[in-house]
């Protein structure tokens, strides 16, 4: 028999290994996809809506300007139903009055305040009546999904001290506009526009007819997940800067700078906002030597204990207060 020849397929040749980088290519990091993602094009037709113009510094104000008070304060709120609630407030302390001297004049005062609140998704009514004859009222009404009417009024027994203000706020997809109308022939308007996902710029104008005064201002706000920076300048000579650094979800640091060109006054301050499990601590220190701290301690469900302290060594003004808030 003749020799047999196998017709099986020959094994495939070994795959060539990919070329290994040599020289400096070994030290260079590989191209990451994060850089390409960071360079994604911004959709300028779908920018977020900015915050209202008057709240452009709200994060800094929360830390630097808490509601300091002197004396005793007690607030009680009782909800009658889901929309209506009554409130009672008692305050005993002192009130500062203007003085030409460097010191601070304080007048002892005490008053009781009765309030009524009506809260609805499209309508909010808040009223306060004080024993000294003052009446405070606030109205917020959603006329449409984008147009809001706000009215603030304060009536007193003293002539020429009553005030009233009406605001028309319009909210667009990436902008906000507001028109203001108040007593003493006050007219104002502001507009703020988002120019990038993190940056928004705006301007404002006001006219005070009785005093024949007008002014214009410009503002800018940059914010992301870790920080908020704002800048404002006005024709009245005011320059205001603020910066808030969010250290964590519960801790934030804030600072601001204020310059008045007319009076040549310069003030800088530093503050903190620390939220614990049962309390919230806020404090500040400014360049005039004024130190303040504000503590809100949650004693129980719906019961908060408040401590307030503000010390101004330069003016020899010392304010200490404590209070309690009951109800939500």
């Amino acid at each position: 028999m003749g020799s047999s020849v196998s017709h099986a397929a020959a094994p495939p040749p070994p795959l060539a290994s990919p070329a290994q980088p040599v020289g400096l290519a070994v030290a260079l990091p590989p191209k990451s996809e994060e850089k390409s993602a960071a360079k994604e094009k911004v959709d300028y037709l779908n920018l977020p809506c900015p915050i209202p113009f008057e709240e452009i510094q709200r994060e800094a104000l929360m830390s630097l300007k808490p509601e300091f008070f002197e004396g005793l304060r007690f607030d009680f709120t009782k909800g009658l139903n889901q929309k209506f609630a009554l409130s009672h407030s008692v305050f005993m302390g002192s009130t500062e009055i203007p003085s030409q001297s460097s010191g601070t004049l304080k007048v002892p005062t005490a008053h009781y305040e009765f309030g009524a609140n009506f809260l609805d998704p499209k309508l909010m009514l808040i009223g306060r009546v004080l024993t000294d004859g003052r009446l405070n009222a606030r109205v917020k009404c959603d006329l449409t999904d984008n147009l809001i009417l706000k009215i603030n009024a304060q009536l007193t027994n003293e002539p020429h001290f009553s005030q009233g203000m009406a605001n028309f706020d319009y909210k667009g997809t990436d902008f906000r506009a507001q028109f203001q109308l108040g007593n003493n022939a006050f007219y104002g308007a502001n507009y703020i526009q988002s120019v990038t996902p993190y940056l928004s710029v705006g301007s404002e104008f006001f006219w005070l007819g009785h005093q024949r005064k007008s002014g214009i201002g410009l503002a800018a706000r940059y914010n992301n997940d870790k920080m908020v920076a704002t800048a404002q300048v006005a024709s009245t000579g005011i320059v205001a800067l603020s910066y808030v650094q969010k250290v964590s979800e519960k801790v934030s640091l804030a600072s601001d700078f204020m310059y008045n060109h007319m009076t040549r006054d310069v003030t800088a301050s530093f503050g903190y906002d620390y939220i614990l499990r049962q309390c919230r601590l806020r404090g500040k220190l400014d360049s005039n030597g004024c130190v303040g701290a504000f503590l809100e301690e949650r004693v129980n469900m719906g019961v908060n204990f408040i401590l307030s302290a503000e010390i101004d060594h330069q003016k020899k003004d010392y304010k200490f207060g404590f209070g309690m808030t009951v109800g939500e």
Side-chain angles (χ1 to χ4, degrees):
M1 297 179 61
S3 63
S4 61
V5 179
S6 175
H7 296 280
L15 297 176
S17 60
Q20 299 293 331
V22 295
L24 292 177
V26 178
L28 294 177
K31 295 182 179 180
S32 61
E33 298 180 357
E34 297 180 356
K35 293 183 179 180
S36 60
K39 296 182 180 180
E40 292 181 356
K41 293 184 179 180
V42 178
D43 185 5
Y44 290 99
L45 298 179
N46 191 23
L47 295 176
C49 184
I51 67 172
F53 188 91
E54 65 270 16
E55 299 179 10
I56 194 172
Q57 292 184 342
R58 64 183 181 186
E59 290 86 358
L61 295 179
M62 288 293 293
S63 302
L64 300 174
K65 294 184 179 180
E67 298 180 2
F68 293 115
F69 65 96
E70 181 179 11
L72 168 66
R73 194 179 80 182
F74 178 77
D75 301 323
F76 175 75
T77 303
K78 175 63 176 179
L80 302 182
N81 53 46
Q82 296 182 352
K83 296 184 179 181
F84 191 71
L86 299 178
S87 64
H88 307 269
S89 300
V90 177
F91 174 78
M92 292 182 289
S94 59
T95 303
E96 297 182 2
I97 61 176
S99 175
Q100 296 181 355
S101 61
S102 58
T104 302
L105 297 180
K106 298 183 179 181
V107 177
T109 182
H111 63 256
Y112 164 75
E113 177 182 291
F114 173 77
N117 307 327
F118 178 81
L119 303 178
D120 188 75
K122 293 189 176 182
L123 178 63
M124 181 183 70
L125 303 175
I126 298 177
R128 297 289 185 270
V129 179
L130 287 78
T131 53
D132 57 6
R134 286 181 294 169
L135 171 65
N136 300 326
R138 293 177 55 193
V139 178
K140 180 182 178 182
C141 179
D142 294 349
L143 302 179
T144 65
D145 293 339
N146 297 329
L147 183 61
I148 301 176
L149 170 63
K150 298 179 182 178
I151 299 177
N152 297 326
Q154 182 178 15
L155 305 179
T156 64
N157 295 327
E158 302 179 8
H160 309 294
F161 277 89
S162 299
Q163 298 178 357
M165 179 76 69
N167 300 336
F168 294 90
D169 297 349
Y170 184 82
K171 178 182 177 181
T173 55
D174 58 357
F175 71 92
R176 289 180 184 265
Q178 183 185 74
F179 177 74
Q180 301 173 328
L181 176 64
N183 61 329
N184 296 326
F186 175 84
Y187 303 95
N190 59 64
Y191 178 87
I192 186 169
Q193 171 74 53
S194 294
V195 294
T196 70
Y198 305 107
L199 177 64
S200 58
V201 296
S203 63
E204 65 175 343
F205 170 81
F206 75 89
W207 165 257
L208 190 56
H210 281 195
Q211 300 182 7
R212 300 293 179 179
K213 291 184 179 180
S214 63
I216 188 173
L218 302 175
R221 172 187 168 96
Y222 182 87
N223 66 286
N224 54 30
D225 296 336
K226 294 295 183 180
M227 52 82 69
V228 178
T230 66
Q232 289 181 282
V233 59
S235 59
T236 54
I238 300 296
V239 177
L241 307 174
S242 70
Y243 179 82
V244 178
Q245 179 67 43
K246 300 176 183 178
V247 181
S248 65
E249 294 182 358
K250 298 182 178 181
V251 181
S252 61
L253 304 176
S255 62
D256 71 346
F257 173 84
M258 180 78 68
Y259 172 68
N260 191 331
H261 180 72
M262 301 299 179
T263 60
R264 305 294 181 179
D265 291 336
V266 180
T267 305
S269 59
F270 169 80
Y272 58 88
D273 190 349
Y274 193 12
I275 301 177
L276 298 173
R277 187 172 62 91
Q278 293 289 341
C279 71
R280 181 177 184 179
L281 179 61
R282 289 175 284 175
K284 68 155 189 173
L285 170 65
D286 62 23
S287 57
N288 295 325
C290 184
V291 183
F294 192 85
L295 173 66
E296 296 173 278
E297 177 77 21
R298 185 177 181 180
V299 181
N300 203 342
M301 181 68 67
V303 180
N304 295 329
F305 181 67
I306 303 175
L307 289 177
S308 174
E310 188 176 20
I311 301 175
D312 192 340
H313 293 287
Q314 184 177 359
K315 296 182 179 180
K316 297 181 179 180
D317 184 16
Y318 311 104
K319 301 177 183 178
F320 298 95
F322 66 97
M324 182 168 289
T325 302
V326 180
E328 297 294 342

